Amino acid sequence: MKYFEVDFTITPLSEDAQDVLSALAAEAGFETFEQTEIGMKGYVQQALFNEDSLQQIIASFPFSDIKIAYQVIEAEDKDWNEQWEQEGFEPIIVANRLAIHDGRHLPTSDINLLPSSIDIEIDAHLAFGTGTHETTRMICGVLLDSELKKKRVLDCGCGTGILGICALKLGAEKCVGYDIDEWSSDNTRHNAVINQVDDRMTSLNGDATLLDSMIERFDVVMANINRNILLQDMPRFVSVMEPDATLILSGFYACDCKILENKANELGLKLKQTRSDNDWACMVFKRQ
């Protein structure tokens, strides 16, 4: 996975300016940040980097007395999940009905899981989606509360495949996932095999333009992606939805809900519910 490292200089430097810049840059696709003595560094996938958007963020920065400069370099090509892959993660429990774990840290007997709970094992290699993030957990929670029997599901930006695997284990008939990152689409196939749902899972490499030539229609479409990509790709999501299909979106902050709802309304979608967790949000729409 190729990344750019963007070195920001913030003058005068303050924690508030760092916090606001990181929040705005996250909306433009940046994934991680680290503070420096003169500002901060941000990391973004090269395929998702939009310098025009970054320049607009800086030009409209809400602190008029702050000056921001930046330099873009190609980040070292390395396994960004290397430490995670070595250490793994503790089991994650969602609503006492879903246990997400790696192959080394299994749920213990003292975890109060319901008899009808499902179990997902995730072996993540350079892919987002282990259940540790609020947005992943919220979408899993929506799926747990949904009727998925015999439903056809589309997972946009599938990462590890966790959301599609969850839907399949809850009774979905099939899932098609796609991700712009080849390692992620490969990892989805790998995790589908681990969870014995590979006969119902298809993983494609590419972006939302794949939907332009897709004949199949879906009952549930889900996307855990940043706000700007969601706004850009939502018309394509709708183009492959059945007339009464459900759209589940996350990957954005609660303050972004209104702009996403307005876009959804333009496309004939009606908001059914909103969830939030630590300022992150998840929205569920129904096609009318």
Side-chain angles (χ1 to χ4, degrees):
M1 187 181 297
K2 300 287 188 179
Y3 279 79
F4 283 130
E5 176 185 301
V6 182
D7 194 357
F8 295 96
T9 301
I10 302 173
T11 309
L13 181 63
S14 70
E15 288 189 10
D16 286 344
Q18 288 172 318
D19 290 343
V20 171
L21 180 57
S22 60
L24 294 173
E27 293 178 359
F30 282 74
E31 296 180 11
T32 57
F33 304 91
E34 59 180 291
Q35 294 183 349
T36 67
E37 293 183 355
I38 59 172
M40 67 182 197
K41 291 182 179 180
Y43 298 89
V44 59
Q45 291 184 39
Q46 292 185 13
L48 299 180
F49 181 54
N50 186 326
E51 191 161 12
D52 289 339
S53 295
L54 180 58
Q55 291 175 353
Q56 290 174 14
I57 288 170
I58 293 173
S60 58
F61 197 70
F63 300 164
S64 58
D65 59 329
I66 297 290
K67 294 184 178 180
I68 300 172
Y70 68 91
Q71 181 178 14
V72 181
I73 63 172
E74 187 167 329
E76 179 185 355
D77 188 13
K78 63 179 182 180
D79 187 339
W80 293 88
N81 277 1
E82 182 177 2
Q83 182 176 356
W84 182 91
E85 290 174 8
Q86 291 174 353
E87 298 178 0
F89 65 98
E90 292 300 318
I92 296 147
I93 309 302
V94 180
N96 290 334
R97 290 183 284 163
L98 168 62
I100 305 166
H101 60 86
D102 63 17
R104 290 155 290 181
H105 300 82
L106 303 178
T108 56
S109 58
D110 61 334
I111 295 177
N112 185 27
L113 288 169
L114 298 175
S116 60
S117 65
I118 63 173
D119 177 277
I120 298 177
E121 179 177 335
I122 292 296
D123 182 14
H125 295 290
L126 297 165
F128 174 84
T130 61
T132 58
H133 198 276
E134 293 91 338
T135 58
T136 308
R137 294 198 303 269
M138 282 190 289
I139 294 182
C140 286
V142 171
L143 294 175
L144 287 168
D145 293 337
S146 302
E147 176 51 62
L148 296 173
K149 300 291 185 182
K150 298 184 179 180
K151 301 291 187 180
R152 297 183 303 279
V153 177
L154 176 67
D155 185 3
C156 308
C158 52
T160 63
I162 185 173
L163 299 178
I165 291 168
C166 182
L168 291 170
K169 289 205 167 189
L170 288 168
E173 179 179 293
K174 68 173 297 185
C175 177
V176 176
Y178 69 83
D179 200 291
I180 194 172
D181 179 61
E182 186 175 2
W183 287 334
S184 293
S185 54
D186 287 346
N187 193 220
T188 288
R189 285 188 285 270
H190 173 70
N191 286 317
V193 171
I194 291 175
N195 288 276
Q196 300 181 345
V197 295
D198 51 302
D199 58 330
R200 294 180 287 147
M201 170 73 82
T202 301
S203 179
L204 307 173
N205 178 223
D207 60 16
T209 59
L210 290 169
L211 305 181
D212 294 343
S213 58
M214 193 169 289
I215 299 175
E216 189 166 9
R217 296 296 177 261
F218 299 91
D219 305 296
V220 178
V221 175
M222 48 194 177
N224 188 8
I225 316 174
N226 76 73
R227 185 197 72 175
N228 291 341
I229 300 298
L230 291 175
L231 291 170
Q232 171 186 293
D233 292 349
M234 212 183 299
R236 286 190 164 100
F237 299 162
V238 174
S239 73
V240 295
M241 292 171 63
E242 292 283 9
D244 60 346
T246 297
L247 176 63
I248 308 170
L249 302 180
S250 195
F252 49 89
Y253 295 107
C255 60
D256 296 321
C257 286
K258 191 59 181 177
I259 189 173
L260 287 162
E261 183 179 1
N262 290 340
K263 182 67 173 180
N265 289 341
E266 292 174 6
L267 297 169
L269 302 171
K270 184 176 181 180
L271 179 65
K272 290 300 182 181
Q273 64 167 288
T274 300
R275 303 186 182 199
S276 62
D277 189 346
N278 289 332
D279 293 330
W280 294 96
C282 174
M283 304 178 78
V284 182
F285 298 92
K286 194 78 171 178
R287 189 174 187 187
Q288 302 301 296

